[in-house]
Amino acid sequence: MALTLAVPALAHEHKPTKPGMAGMDHGMMMNDPSNPYGKAEMDMHMKMMGAKAGDASEKWTRKMIEHHRGAIAMSRVALAQAPDAETKRMAQMTIDMQEKDIGELQGWLRSHGKPAQ
């Protein structure tokens, strides 16, 4: 008995999840006034995509540094704009943890003779 997997014909077609998203460019998404995190998200994405140096270990380390920096940038937005104290507390905790993680990742790069970023 052969096993056949059904694959939707349009599995790879991108469909916008919100009305009006078709044709929206990244600049529009970054400047969307309903999303105060757009610039931080775009910066993180671009820097993660640009981290291409080295083998899989070095690439992962460099991409994670940028991922953590993105979390810090978004947390700073939350500190400035979130209306409640609990969110601000979590955002500050995230900044503290992510800065520690970045230090450890930078240390790994240096210990392997790689320039820190």
Side-chain angles (χ1 to χ4, degrees):
M1 176 174 169
L3 176 64
T4 304
L5 299 175
V7 178
L10 299 176
H12 297 288
E13 182 179 323
H14 172 72
K15 295 207 178 212
T17 57
K18 294 181 183 176
M21 294 289 286
M24 181 179 271
D25 67 23
H26 290 103
M28 288 176 63
M29 290 170 59
M30 188 174 75
N31 294 318
D32 176 359
S34 69
N35 180 12
Y37 303 99
K39 181 176 180 344
E41 291 168 338
M42 186 56 60
D43 288 349
M44 178 183 68
H45 173 75
M46 297 305 290
K47 289 175 181 174
M48 286 180 70
M49 294 300 294
K52 298 178 180 180
D55 63 14
S57 294
E58 183 178 356
K59 279 183 184 74
W60 176 85
T61 302
R62 293 187 182 284
K63 288 177 185 294
M64 288 307 296
I65 288 169
E66 296 307 336
H67 178 71
H68 291 321
R69 286 178 175 161
I72 290 168
M74 288 185 283
S75 295
R76 288 188 175 134
V77 171
L79 281 175
Q81 297 185 26
D84 65 285
E86 182 68 7
T87 299
K88 290 177 185 260
R89 184 193 66 76
M90 290 186 295
Q92 185 59 59
M93 185 174 64
T94 298
I95 291 169
D96 296 343
M97 291 183 337
Q98 300 297 314
E99 286 176 344
K100 179 181 178 284
D101 290 345
I102 290 170
E104 290 176 8
L105 292 163
Q106 297 281 20
W108 184 91
L109 288 170
R110 285 190 292 274
S111 72
H112 288 81
K114 312 290 183 189
Q117 60 190 60

